[in-house]
Every structure is written in structure tokens, then in C-alpha cells.
Amino acid sequence: FLGIRPNYPLMEDRNHNIWLLSQSGDQTVTSIIGEDRQYYTNILPYGGYHFQDRNNRMWITSVSGTFGISLDDKTVRTLNEKDGFNEEAQFWEEAQFYEEDNQGRLWMINSDSIHVLNNAYTEMKSIATNSRISWGNTIKDKRGVIWIGTATNGILL
């Protein structure tokens, strides 16, 4: 690959693979560097932000929809219209970050809305925001409260 895409984290999963967004020719791809650090694989074109949940599932958003890749059973769960999810589940490259709450629900956050997926990965609810959400401005505190920083209207809880 030619380089790492800025504003997206490098991360090591629980199986010791490194996940990153890289440049491959004129395309941004999600790449995985194996535990032995000898080889890498491009797995998803036009990948977006990635997040690992407590069930050892890596969540990635791309132009093909949102994917949950189980690192334990090596299966992929898609959130797209074919699987019963509407266009709101298809963030394309808009998902800026993910967070998981204490009930195991996955919060997928883009620039102007928040989508919450239940812990069975079968239903999603959407929440409109009153302000643009900035890159990287989200944390879950020790009490389990998710804090989301916005560009102009303070913090959403």
C-alpha cells in the first residue's frame, strides 16, 4: 500500500491483527496486517472508520454498507437493504465513529445523526442531532455515558 489515510485510527484487534485504512492506487481500502506482521490483505474497498465491540466483532462502514466481521467465527454481518435495513444503515463513507454502550448496543455516529443498533444486531433506531458532530469527539465514561462532541452546540449525552 502507498500510505495510511489520515483521521482514521490504526488499531490492533484482540487477535493481534492491525487494522488500517490505506491508499492502494487511487482507492482507499481497509487493510489488515496479520499477527506475524509479514503480510497484509486489502479486504474492503472505500472503507471507513472501524471499531471492535465486546463480542470480538469488527464494525466497518463502506460504500457497500455497514459490515460486522466476527473475528471468532469468521463470519460477516451486513447492515443493508437486502438484510432488512433501510438506507439509514448505509452510511457510505459518513460513519465517523462507533461506540458501544453498557447494554451492548452499537452507536454509529455520522456528521448529523446517530444510529443505535440493538445488541442482537436486528433493529436500528435513528436519532437526529441539532448540530454537526466533529471527528473524534466521542467517549464513553466509566459510568457508561456516551459523550458526543458537536461542532457548534456543545456536547450531546
Side-chain angles (χ1 to χ4, degrees):
F1 48 80
L2 302 175
I4 308 290
R5 185 167 173 191
N7 299 323
Y8 289 89
L10 290 150
M11 73 170 292
E12 183 178 27
D13 65 30
R14 290 184 202 120
N15 296 349
H16 308 291
N17 301 300
I18 302 291
W19 292 70
L20 57 110
L21 283 166
S22 64
Q23 203 64 35
S24 179
D26 62 348
Q27 179 171 294
T28 300
V29 297
T30 299
S31 302
I32 303 172
I33 300 172
E35 181 181 9
D36 63 5
R37 306 296 188 256
Q38 300 294 314
Y39 303 99
Y40 73 93
T41 303
N42 295 333
I43 64 162
L44 194 61
Y46 301 106
Y49 195 86
H50 44 271
F51 174 82
Q52 186 172 13
D53 70 15
R54 68 176 79 175
N55 294 322
N56 209 22
R57 185 179 302 268
M58 187 67 70
W59 290 93
I60 304 172
T61 303
S62 82
V63 296
S64 303
T66 301
F67 296 90
I69 302 169
S70 172
L71 301 174
D72 294 335
D73 15 338
K74 306 210 182 332
T75 58
V76 177
R77 171 81 168 124
T78 58
L79 304 182
N80 57 32
E81 287 183 286
K82 184 178 95 176
D83 294 306
F85 290 90
N86 62 18
E87 288 182 9
E88 292 174 340
Q90 300 178 37
F91 298 118
W92 309 120
E93 291 186 315
E94 283 294 309
Q96 294 179 3
F97 27 77
Y98 297 86
E99 189 57 74
E100 185 177 18
D101 66 21
N102 288 350
Q103 289 74 42
R105 295 176 299 207
L106 187 66
W107 292 59
M108 295 177 272
I109 303 160
N110 66 18
S111 61
D112 61 0
S113 59
I114 301 165
H115 308 277
V116 183
L117 181 65
N118 70 358
N119 60 9
Y121 314 123
T122 56
E123 294 179 19
M124 181 178 292
K125 295 186 179 186
S126 298
I127 304 166
T129 64
N130 62 356
S131 179
R132 286 191 52 77
I133 298 170
S134 299
W135 279 96
N137 291 330
T138 183
I139 64 162
K140 181 174 70 171
D141 69 18
K142 68 180 181 178
R143 297 172 298 158
V145 175
I146 296 175
W147 296 68
I148 303 167
T150 68
T152 58
N153 285 340
I155 295 175
L156 305 173
L157 302 175

